[in-house]
Amino acid sequence: MQILQAEYPAPNHVLVHITDPHFVAEGLLYGEMDPKPGLVQVLDAIEGTMMEPEAIIVSGDLTDKGKAEAYRQLKTVCDAYAARIGTRIIWAMGNHDDRTNFQRIMLDEEPRPGPVDRQYDLGGLRVLVLDSSIPGFHHGEIDEDQLRWLAKELEAPADDGTLLVLHHPPVPPVQDLAVLSELRNQTGLAQVLEGSDVIGILSGHTHCSLFSTFANIPVSVAASTSYTQDLAIPAGAMQGRDGARSFNLVRIHGRTPVTAVVPVGKYRSFGTPISAEETRRRLEEAAITIPPYQPIN
């Protein structure tokens, strides 16, 4: 019997992308809701998959007011999950964050002035975190020094390509009022990214899932763990809601990223469940194999 190979190999990198937990030190977010249960609901779902991602990327607005105690509470919650899952957490700055408290508590380093940009290596996959926040404002920008830093980082390609993480997505907003807080002056960023080894851009900020391209690069925007935007309302309107949370599963096959929005919550199951063992049996019965990823030298 002839064995057929799947069109793509197994992923060489598996990541989870969440965003905008908006933790508060005390009281309720906007006087109405506690953002912690939403994050815990999402982290419970991630842990329940038992997929062991290489990293959980949190793309900004970690706290709502930038308070030190809110960062401590958030870090305590997330570190416990990361330890059980066996993964690491990559943090990014958002417009609601405070650079000093972010660096001191989340990065465990002495604060330095200016944007908080970082580089991480995940076994050949480079992750560049770009701070798009501007203290005191909700819109985002990337300054000339940051563009020079980014260009320098991208001079030599990474083995498995690069993921760029920034809070403000470089895509058109789907809500008219969101132009007040969009990423401004995007031309310089596009010029640096064009022709680079960046295979995907991960962002937050919108509180709803979005997909687009920027400089011919796929852009994936995760929804928030705190509250989400209701888009099933009249055009031009805006309304947050306490629900419809999700996380983004990012699987990279070679240099092809695939993002899946994973809703969380309890719903009535439908159909017969298929276990991982049954999946393997059916593939074997169909004489189809998913080859392991082999790097190209």
Side-chain angles (χ1 to χ4, degrees), residues 147-200:
L147 292 178
R148 282 189 287 271
W149 174 83
L150 180 61
K152 183 68 175 177
E153 290 289 326
L154 293 173
E155 279 184 355
D159 290 343
D160 296 338
T162 297
L163 283 179
L164 179 64
V165 181
L166 72 165
H167 182 65
H168 297 80
V171 301
V174 297
Q175 295 175 299
D176 291 346
L177 192 58
V179 300
L180 296 177
S181 61
E182 66 184 344
L183 182 68
R184 299 180 183 174
N185 302 323
Q186 298 179 17
T187 302
L189 178 61
Q191 291 172 343
V192 172
L193 295 181
E194 286 173 351
S196 72
D197 76 336
V198 176
I199 61 173

Coordinates of all heavy atoms in Angstrom, one line a residue, residues 147-200:
L147 N 13.1 52.0 15.0 CA 13.2 51.5 13.6 C 14.6 51.1 13.3 O 14.9 50.1 12.6 CB 12.7 52.5 12.6 CG 11.2 52.8 12.6 CD1 10.8 53.9 11.6 CD2 10.4 51.6 12.4
R148 N 15.6 51.9 13.8 CA 17.0 51.5 13.6 C 17.3 50.3 14.3 O 18.1 49.4 13.8 CB 17.9 52.7 14.0 CG 18.0 53.8 13.0 CD 19.0 54.9 13.3 NE 18.6 55.7 14.5 CZ 18.0 56.8 14.3 NH1 17.6 57.3 13.1 NH2 17.7 57.5 15.4
W149 N 16.8 50.1 15.6 CA 17.1 48.9 16.3 C 16.5 47.7 15.6 O 17.1 46.7 15.5 CB 16.4 49.1 17.7 CG 16.5 47.8 18.5 CD1 17.5 47.4 19.3 CD2 15.4 46.8 18.7 NE1 17.2 46.2 19.9 CE2 15.9 45.8 19.5 CE3 14.1 46.7 18.2 CZ2 15.2 44.7 19.9 CZ3 13.4 45.6 18.5 CH2 13.9 44.6 19.3
L150 N 15.2 47.9 15.1 CA 14.6 46.8 14.4 C 15.3 46.4 13.2 O 15.5 45.2 12.9 CB 13.1 47.2 14.1 CG 12.3 46.2 13.3 CD1 12.1 44.9 14.1 CD2 10.9 46.8 13.0
A151 N 15.8 47.4 12.4 CA 16.5 47.1 11.2 C 17.8 46.3 11.5 O 18.2 45.4 10.8 CB 16.8 48.4 10.4
K152 N 18.5 46.7 12.6 CA 19.7 46.1 13.0 C 19.5 44.6 13.4 O 20.2 43.7 13.0 CB 20.4 46.8 14.2 CG 21.7 46.3 14.6 CD 22.8 46.5 13.6 CE 24.1 46.1 14.1 NZ 25.2 46.2 13.1
E153 N 18.4 44.4 14.1 CA 18.0 43.0 14.5 C 17.7 42.1 13.3 O 18.0 40.9 13.3 CB 16.8 43.1 15.5 CG 17.1 43.6 16.8 CD 18.0 42.7 17.7 OE1 17.9 41.5 17.6 OE2 18.8 43.3 18.5
L154 N 17.2 42.7 12.3 CA 16.7 41.9 11.1 C 17.8 41.8 10.1 O 17.6 41.2 9.0 CB 15.5 42.6 10.5 CG 14.2 42.5 11.4 CD1 13.1 43.4 10.7 CD2 13.8 41.1 11.6
E155 N 19.0 42.4 10.3 CA 20.1 42.3 9.3 C 20.4 40.8 8.9 O 20.6 40.5 7.8 CB 21.3 43.0 9.8 CG 21.2 44.5 9.6 CD 22.5 45.2 10.0 OE1 23.4 44.5 10.6 OE2 22.6 46.4 9.9
A156 N 20.5 40.0 10.0 CA 20.8 38.6 9.7 C 19.6 37.8 9.9 O 18.9 37.9 11.0 CB 21.9 38.1 10.7
P157 N 19.1 37.0 9.0 CA 17.9 36.2 9.1 C 18.1 35.1 10.2 O 19.1 34.6 10.4 CB 17.7 35.6 7.7 CG 19.1 35.6 7.1 CD 19.8 36.8 7.7
A158 N 17.0 34.8 10.9 CA 17.0 33.8 11.9 C 16.7 32.4 11.2 O 16.1 32.4 10.1 CB 15.9 34.0 12.9
D159 N 17.1 31.4 11.8 CA 16.9 30.0 11.2 C 15.5 29.8 10.7 O 15.2 29.3 9.6 CB 17.4 28.9 12.1 CG 18.9 29.0 12.3 OD1 19.6 29.6 11.5 OD2 19.4 28.4 13.3
D160 N 14.6 30.1 11.6 CA 13.1 29.8 11.4 C 12.3 31.0 11.2 O 11.1 31.0 11.3 CB 12.6 29.0 12.5 CG 13.2 27.6 12.7 OD1 13.8 27.1 11.7 OD2 13.2 27.0 13.8
G161 N 13.0 32.2 10.9 CA 12.2 33.4 10.7 C 12.0 34.1 11.9 O 12.4 33.8 13.0
T162 N 11.2 35.2 11.8 CA 11.0 36.2 12.9 C 9.5 36.4 13.1 O 8.8 36.6 12.1 CB 11.7 37.5 12.7 OG1 13.1 37.2 12.7 CG2 11.4 38.5 13.8
L163 N 9.1 36.5 14.3 CA 7.7 37.0 14.7 C 7.9 38.3 15.3 O 8.8 38.5 16.2 CB 7.0 36.0 15.7 CG 6.4 34.8 15.1 CD1 5.7 34.0 16.3 CD2 5.4 35.1 14.0
L164 N 7.1 39.3 14.9 CA 7.2 40.7 15.5 C 5.9 40.8 16.3 O 4.8 40.5 15.9 CB 7.2 41.7 14.4 CG 7.2 43.2 14.8 CD1 8.4 43.5 15.6 CD2 7.0 44.1 13.6
V165 N 6.1 41.3 17.6 CA 5.0 41.5 18.5 C 5.0 43.0 18.9 O 6.0 43.5 19.3 CB 5.2 40.6 19.8 CG1 4.1 40.9 20.8 CG2 5.4 39.2 19.5
L166 N 3.8 43.6 18.6 CA 3.6 45.0 19.1 C 2.1 45.1 19.4 O 1.3 44.5 18.8 CB 4.1 46.0 18.0 CG 3.3 46.2 16.8 CD1 3.7 47.5 16.1 CD2 3.5 45.0 15.8
H167 N 1.8 46.0 20.4 CA 0.5 46.1 20.9 C -0.5 46.6 19.9 O -1.6 46.1 19.6 CB 0.5 47.0 22.2 CG -0.9 47.1 22.8 ND1 -1.5 46.0 23.3 CD2 -1.7 48.2 22.9 CE1 -2.7 46.4 23.8 NE2 -2.8 47.7 23.6
H168 N -0.1 47.8 19.2 CA -1.0 48.4 18.3 C -0.9 47.7 16.9 O 0.2 47.8 16.3 CB -0.7 49.9 18.2 CG -0.9 50.7 19.4 ND1 0.1 50.7 20.4 CD2 -1.9 51.5 19.8 CE1 -0.3 51.5 21.4 NE2 -1.5 52.0 21.1
P169 N -1.9 47.2 16.4 CA -1.8 46.5 15.1 C -1.7 47.4 13.9 O -2.4 48.4 13.8 CB -3.1 45.6 15.0 CG -4.1 46.4 15.8 CD -3.3 47.0 17.0
P170 N -0.8 47.1 13.0 CA -0.6 48.0 11.8 C -1.6 47.6 10.7 O -1.2 47.2 9.6 CB 0.8 47.7 11.4 CG 1.1 46.3 11.8 CD 0.3 46.1 13.0
V171 N -2.9 47.6 11.0 CA -3.9 47.3 10.1 C -5.1 48.3 10.3 O -5.2 48.9 11.3 CB -4.5 45.9 10.3 CG1 -3.3 44.8 10.2 CG2 -5.1 45.7 11.7
P172 N -6.0 48.4 9.3 CA -7.1 49.3 9.4 C -8.1 48.8 10.5 O -8.3 47.6 10.6 CB -7.8 49.2 8.0 CG -6.8 48.7 7.1 CD -5.9 47.8 7.9
P173 N -8.6 49.7 11.4 CA -9.5 49.3 12.4 C -10.9 48.9 11.8 O -11.2 49.4 10.8 CB -9.6 50.5 13.3 CG -9.2 51.7 12.4 CD -8.3 51.1 11.4
V174 N -11.6 48.0 12.5 CA -12.9 47.7 12.0 C -14.0 48.5 12.7 O -15.2 48.4 12.4 CB -13.2 46.2 12.2 CG1 -12.2 45.3 11.4 CG2 -13.1 45.8 13.7
Q175 N -13.6 49.3 13.7 CA -14.5 50.2 14.4 C -14.1 51.7 14.1 O -12.9 52.0 14.4 CB -14.6 49.9 15.9 CG -15.2 48.5 16.1 CD -15.2 48.2 17.6 OE1 -14.1 48.1 18.2 NE2 -16.3 48.0 18.2
D176 N -14.9 52.5 13.7 CA -14.5 53.9 13.3 C -13.9 54.6 14.5 O -12.9 55.4 14.3 CB -15.8 54.7 12.8 CG -16.3 54.2 11.5 OD1 -15.6 53.4 10.8 OD2 -17.4 54.5 11.1
L177 N -14.4 54.5 15.7 CA -13.8 55.2 16.8 C -12.4 54.8 17.1 O -11.7 55.6 17.8 CB -14.7 55.0 18.1 CG -14.5 56.0 19.2 CD1 -14.6 57.4 18.8 CD2 -15.4 55.7 20.4
A178 N -12.0 53.6 16.7 CA -10.7 53.1 17.0 C -9.6 53.8 16.3 O -8.4 53.6 16.6 CB -10.6 51.6 16.7
V179 N -9.9 54.7 15.3 CA -8.9 55.4 14.7 C -8.2 56.4 15.6 O -7.1 56.8 15.4 CB -9.4 56.2 13.4 CG1 -10.0 55.2 12.4 CG2 -10.4 57.3 13.8
L180 N -8.9 56.7 16.7 CA -8.3 57.6 17.7 C -7.1 57.0 18.4 O -6.2 57.7 18.9 CB -9.4 58.0 18.8 CG -10.6 58.8 18.4 CD1 -11.5 59.0 19.5 CD2 -10.1 60.1 17.8
S181 N -7.0 55.6 18.4 CA -6.0 55.0 19.2 C -5.2 54.0 18.3 O -4.6 53.0 18.8 CB -6.5 54.2 20.4 OG -7.5 53.2 20.0
E182 N -5.2 54.2 17.0 CA -4.5 53.3 16.1 C -3.0 53.6 16.1 O -2.5 54.5 16.7 CB -5.0 53.5 14.6 CG -4.8 54.8 14.0 CD -5.4 55.0 12.7 OE1 -5.8 54.0 12.1 OE2 -5.5 56.1 12.2
L183 N -2.3 52.7 15.4 CA -0.8 52.9 15.2 C -0.6 53.9 14.1 O -1.0 53.7 13.0 CB -0.1 51.6 14.8 CG 1.4 51.6 14.7 CD1 2.1 51.9 16.0 CD2 1.9 50.3 14.0
R184 N 0.1 55.0 14.5 CA 0.3 56.1 13.5 C 1.7 56.0 12.8 O 2.6 55.4 13.3 CB 0.1 57.5 14.2 CG -1.3 57.7 14.8 CD -1.4 59.0 15.5 NE -2.8 59.1 16.1 CZ -3.1 60.1 16.9 NH1 -2.3 61.1 17.1 NH2 -4.4 60.2 17.4
N185 N 1.8 56.7 11.7 CA 3.1 56.8 11.0 C 3.6 55.4 10.7 O 4.8 55.1 11.1 CB 4.1 57.7 11.8 CG 3.5 59.1 12.0 OD1 2.9 59.6 11.2 ND2 3.8 59.6 13.2
Q186 N 2.9 54.6 10.0 CA 3.3 53.2 9.7 C 4.2 53.0 8.6 O 4.8 52.0 8.4 CB 2.0 52.4 9.5 CG 1.0 52.4 10.6 CD -0.2 51.5 10.3 OE1 -0.2 50.7 9.4 NE2 -1.3 51.7 11.1
T187 N 4.5 54.1 7.8 CA 5.3 54.0 6.6 C 6.7 53.5 6.9 O 7.3 52.6 6.2 CB 5.4 55.3 5.8 OG1 4.0 55.7 5.5 CG2 6.2 55.1 4.6
G188 N 7.3 54.1 7.9 CA 8.7 53.7 8.3 C 8.8 52.2 8.7 O 9.8 51.5 8.4
L189 N 7.8 51.8 9.5 CA 7.8 50.4 9.9 C 7.7 49.5 8.7 O 8.4 48.5 8.6 CB 6.6 50.1 10.8 CG 6.5 48.7 11.3 CD1 7.7 48.2 12.1 CD2 5.2 48.6 12.2
A190 N 6.8 49.8 7.7 CA 6.7 49.0 6.5 C 8.0 48.9 5.7 O 8.4 47.8 5.2 CB 5.6 49.5 5.6
Q191 N 8.7 50.0 5.7 CA 10.0 50.0 4.9 C 11.0 49.1 5.5 O 11.8 48.5 4.8 CB 10.5 51.5 4.8 CG 9.6 52.4 3.9 CD 10.0 53.8 4.0 OE1 10.8 54.3 4.9 NE2 9.6 54.6 3.0
V192 N 11.0 49.1 6.9 CA 12.0 48.2 7.5 C 11.6 46.7 7.3 O 12.5 45.9 7.2 CB 12.1 48.5 9.0 CG1 12.9 47.5 9.8 CG2 12.7 49.9 9.2
L193 N 10.3 46.4 7.4 CA 9.9 45.0 7.3 C 9.9 44.4 5.9 O 10.1 43.2 5.8 CB 8.5 44.9 7.9 CG 8.3 45.3 9.4 CD1 6.9 45.1 9.8 CD2 9.3 44.4 10.2
E194 N 9.7 45.2 4.9 CA 9.7 44.7 3.5 C 11.0 44.0 3.2 O 12.1 44.6 3.3 CB 9.4 45.8 2.5 CG 7.9 46.3 2.6 CD 7.7 47.5 1.8 OE1 8.6 48.1 1.3 OE2 6.5 47.9 1.6
G195 N 10.9 42.8 2.7 CA 12.0 42.0 2.3 C 12.7 41.3 3.5 O 13.8 40.7 3.3
S196 N 12.2 41.5 4.7 CA 12.9 40.9 5.9 C 12.4 39.4 6.1 O 11.6 38.9 5.3 CB 12.5 41.7 7.2 OG 11.2 41.5 7.5
D197 N 12.9 38.8 7.1 CA 12.5 37.4 7.4 C 11.3 37.3 8.4 O 11.1 36.2 8.9 CB 13.7 36.6 8.0 CG 14.0 36.9 9.4 OD1 13.7 38.0 9.9 OD2 14.6 36.1 10.1
V198 N 10.6 38.4 8.6 CA 9.5 38.4 9.5 C 8.3 37.6 8.8 O 7.9 38.0 7.7 CB 9.0 39.9 9.8 CG1 7.7 39.8 10.6 CG2 10.1 40.6 10.5
I199 N 7.9 36.6 9.5 CA 6.8 35.7 8.9 C 5.5 36.0 9.5 O 4.5 35.5 9.0 CB 7.2 34.2 9.1 CG1 7.3 33.9 10.6 CG2 8.5 33.9 8.4 CD1 7.5 32.4 10.9
G200 N 5.4 36.8 10.5 CA 4.1 37.1 11.1 C 4.2 38.2 12.1 O 5.3 38.5 12.7

